[in-house]
Amino acid sequence: MDTLSDLLRRAGAGDAQVRQLIQRPPWSITYADAPALTVFATLGGQAALRLEDVPSVPPVRLAAGDIALVAHSTRHTISDDLATPPQVLIRDGRKQLLGDPSTHAALEANLAPRTWGDGLPGATTMLRGMFKLRGEAGRRLLAMLPPLVVIPAAPRTGAALDLLAAETTLDEPGQDAVLHRSLDLVLVLALRSWCASLGPADPSWYAALTDPAIGSALDHIHTDPAHHWTVAELAAIAGLSRAAFAARFTQLVGQPPMTYLAGWRMTLAADLLREDAGTTVAAAAQAVGYQDAFAFSVAFKRAKGMSPSRWGRAEAVEAVGEAIR
């Protein structure tokens, strides 16, 4: 499996929801407790997006067909114009109407499944997809992204958005699966488009994924993280000498090959201990390529700041707390 697909899968990016707004201006919506990764797309009309809790990021305007990826921000406002005061506050999945009561009827109208607004001529059509990322893999994915990325309209992303918009209004057997996969497609195409636009001064992780030599080595690590990889073996896969491979890997990935491998193994082990309360330390160690549970525990504590057994207990308590909430 290729590296980006593996990371998206393990981060749980398929656990998603989709909503659509079809509303004439003026309109403004504030999301008060947004998930870690959100996708906005303006299908018709235009919109303005402001991250309330990341003031260092300037507001942006979205034209028809543009996509915005929002990461790290839990409170942001999207509207027809930056000057429009918030009319809707969404918190805990509930909609609170604000401002002029005469506008409330249109803001409450359900036009179709997962779709609301007035649906009248001149309306802006906007899609919002929400990803609930999980565990250390989710945090690793988020660390690769800036708070806000805007991807200009393009034929490939446009076709994916049209499909997602059409499916959003339906309620047929298997609908959730279709929506999740359609939103996954939009996310991956948006990431590809953004990464292809990066310059030399931008994050280099995408250059590592697309580099034939280093990308191949990364794919092998992600396909079989428990294998006893050595620099020499990975260099042979990349078709480079050990020295040339180590230097190029460090340059593109930002850390040496064995450091990356160790960090990825700890990510996998942390999520394994989190997701399965019955996983023993020895089983987690073996799953990520450690034959010695003690050596694994030392490495895990160095990476995560606590022993694997304590990590598992802490995550179990957190999971119970989330279930109660």
Side-chain angles (χ1 to χ4, degrees), residues 23-46:
Q23 179 72 35
R24 288 177 303 169
W27 57 270
S28 180
I29 308 167
T30 295
Y31 298 92
D33 55 356
L37 181 59
T38 302
V39 177
F40 288 104
T42 308
L43 303 184
Q46 61 181 14

Side-chain angles (χ1 to χ4, degrees), residues 22-307:
I22 306 176
Q23 179 72 35
R24 288 177 303 169
W27 57 270
S28 180
I29 308 167
T30 295
Y31 298 92
D33 55 356
L37 181 59
T38 302
V39 177
F40 288 104
T42 308
L43 303 184
Q46 61 181 14
L49 177 61
R50 179 175 63 250
L51 307 189
E52 308 284 0
D53 53 352
V54 192
S56 60
V57 176
V60 296
R61 293 189 176 276
L62 305 176
D66 289 352
I67 298 173
L69 301 182
V70 179
H72 312 287
S73 171
T74 59
R75 185 181 179 93
H76 40 260
T77 297
I78 189 161
S79 57
D80 70 300
D81 188 87
L82 291 171
T84 303
Q87 299 170 332
V88 179
L89 176 69
I90 297 181
R91 188 195 304 271
D92 294 329
R94 297 180 180 180
K95 189 189 307 179
Q96 178 184 351
L97 301 180
L98 310 171
D100 185 358
S102 67
T103 66
H104 290 181
L107 294 170
E108 287 187 303
N110 291 318
L111 303 176
R114 308 169 198 84
T115 304
W116 53 287
D118 59 26
L120 297 175
T124 298
T125 301
M126 187 195 73
L127 282 172
R128 179 181 184 243
M130 299 150 280
F131 293 96
K132 293 182 180 179
L133 304 182
R134 65 172 185 260
E136 295 299 289
R139 283 185 273 273
R140 199 176 181 106
L141 175 61
L142 285 176
M144 298 165 65
L145 300 173
L148 179 60
V149 173
V150 176
I151 298 93
R156 292 186 72 188
T157 53
L161 288 174
D162 288 343
L163 172 63
L164 180 60
E167 292 293 337
T168 298
T169 63
L170 302 178
D171 199 4
E172 299 179 353
Q175 199 65 45
D176 284 344
V178 172
L179 286 171
H180 291 175
R181 284 157 179 76
S182 299
L183 187 55
D184 281 349
L185 176 61
V186 169
L187 174 62
V188 173
L189 291 178
L191 285 172
R192 280 183 181 175
S193 297
W194 171 61
C195 292
S197 70
L198 295 177
D202 291 301
S204 61
W205 59 268
Y206 185 71
L209 299 184
T210 56
D211 182 89
I214 305 306
S216 179
L218 284 169
D219 290 349
H220 277 75
I221 288 173
H222 280 254
T223 298
D224 190 2
H227 182 77
H228 295 164
W229 295 109
T230 64
V231 173
E233 189 174 9
L234 291 170
I237 290 170
L240 299 171
S241 69
R242 287 183 56 180
F245 168 74
R248 186 164 183 79
F249 191 103
T250 303
Q251 175 193 2
L252 294 180
V253 178
Q255 52 190 183
M258 293 299 101
T259 303
Y260 178 89
L261 174 60
W264 181 238
R265 284 173 169 171
M266 293 304 106
T267 294
L268 299 180
D271 284 345
L272 182 60
L273 290 164
R274 172 186 180 271
E275 294 168 6
D276 186 353
T279 300
T280 64
V281 172
Q286 187 171 19
V288 296
Y290 283 81
Q291 300 303 315
D292 184 345
F294 178 77
F296 165 75
S297 296
V298 171
F300 190 95
K301 187 172 183 178
R302 185 186 306 117
K304 302 300 179 185
M306 66 177 71
S307 68

